Amino acid sequence: QHAVALDVHLVVAVHQDVRDVAVLEQRFQRSEAEQLVEDVDDLRGDLSLIKLRLFSPAGEIIFSTDKAEIGTVNTKPYFRDRVARGQVYSKVVREGGRSAEGTTVVQTVVETYVPLMHRGVFEGAVETYFDISSSRNAIDTLNRQTAWVLWIFAGCMILGILLALHT
């Protein structure tokens, strides 16, 4: 949920007056793309943002923090069947796992697609990858500690029951 909120915030902050993907495409072909790259770079450190992409309604990448991806079309079923129909798609991918697009990730990430809808019409999507490795590791540590506490508590309860039955 946090990643979705950040995605929406990114879209609103960067393109608050844009409702047309054609306008977005024109902006990214001009100098505004360079300004967006600078803005995204500023956010990378603050928000653990790894990657940001903007998609046209056809699934074409019209902006990416990895310039080599621009022009690539996402034809995966989750994009066509969920995102293009206005549904948010989010997936946690563990280190060494595969993203929704099939690439191997080197850290634990949350990959999120937020559709850009205007009056019920799909006008594109924003995709982000956030590094959640430290948060995930903290949760895993907390789960292990909680499990140990429960096992110790259960052992003490069983020992207490056995002592009560023995006397």
Side-chain angles (χ1 to χ4, degrees), residues 147-162:
W148 275 108
V149 168
L150 290 174
W151 278 109
I152 292 169
F153 180 74
C156 289
M157 292 297 290
I158 290 172
L159 185 60
I161 291 170
L162 290 175

Side-chain angles (χ1 to χ4, degrees), residues 24-59:
L24 285 175
E25 289 173 341
Q26 289 172 358
R27 283 187 172 187
F28 296 134
Q29 292 171 0
R30 297 193 324 246
S31 62
E32 289 186 40
E34 293 165 15
Q35 181 60 47
L36 180 60
V37 170
E38 288 177 23
D39 293 343
V40 169
D41 283 342
D42 290 344
L43 293 173
R44 280 187 170 179
D46 297 341
L47 302 175
S48 301
L49 178 68
I50 297 170
K51 184 183 284 192
L52 171 71
R53 294 178 180 157
L54 292 174
F55 292 88
S56 73

Side-chain angles (χ1 to χ4, degrees), residues 48-135:
S48 301
L49 178 68
I50 297 170
K51 184 183 284 192
L52 171 71
R53 294 178 180 157
L54 292 174
F55 292 88
S56 73
E60 179 183 359
I61 298 173
I62 59 174
F63 173 82
S64 176
T65 49
D66 179 356
K67 290 184 181 197
E69 297 176 335
I70 295 174
T72 305
V73 178
N74 187 333
T75 58
K76 301 285 185 186
Y78 70 88
F79 190 86
R80 182 181 62 247
D81 299 338
R82 293 186 67 183
V83 180
R85 293 189 176 157
Q87 296 177 4
V88 172
Y89 179 81
S90 191
K91 176 181 178 182
V92 173
V93 185
R94 291 245 184 194
E95 179 180 342
R98 294 212 174 264
S99 70
E101 295 164 340
T103 59
T104 302
V105 297
V106 296
Q107 66 260 76
T108 302
V109 300
V110 61
E111 173 184 14
T112 306
Y113 293 79
V114 176
L116 301 173
M117 305 295 287
H118 183 65
R119 295 186 179 160
V121 177
F122 178 65
E123 294 191 342
V126 61
E127 175 196 21
T128 56
Y129 283 70
F130 287 100
D131 180 359
I132 60 166
S133 300
S134 60
S135 299

Side-chain angles (χ1 to χ4, degrees), residues 6-17 36 39 43:
L6 286 171
D7 282 0
V8 170
H9 178 73
L10 285 170
V11 170
V12 170
V14 176
H15 301 289
Q16 48 191 293
D17 61 329
L36 180 60
D39 293 343
L43 293 173

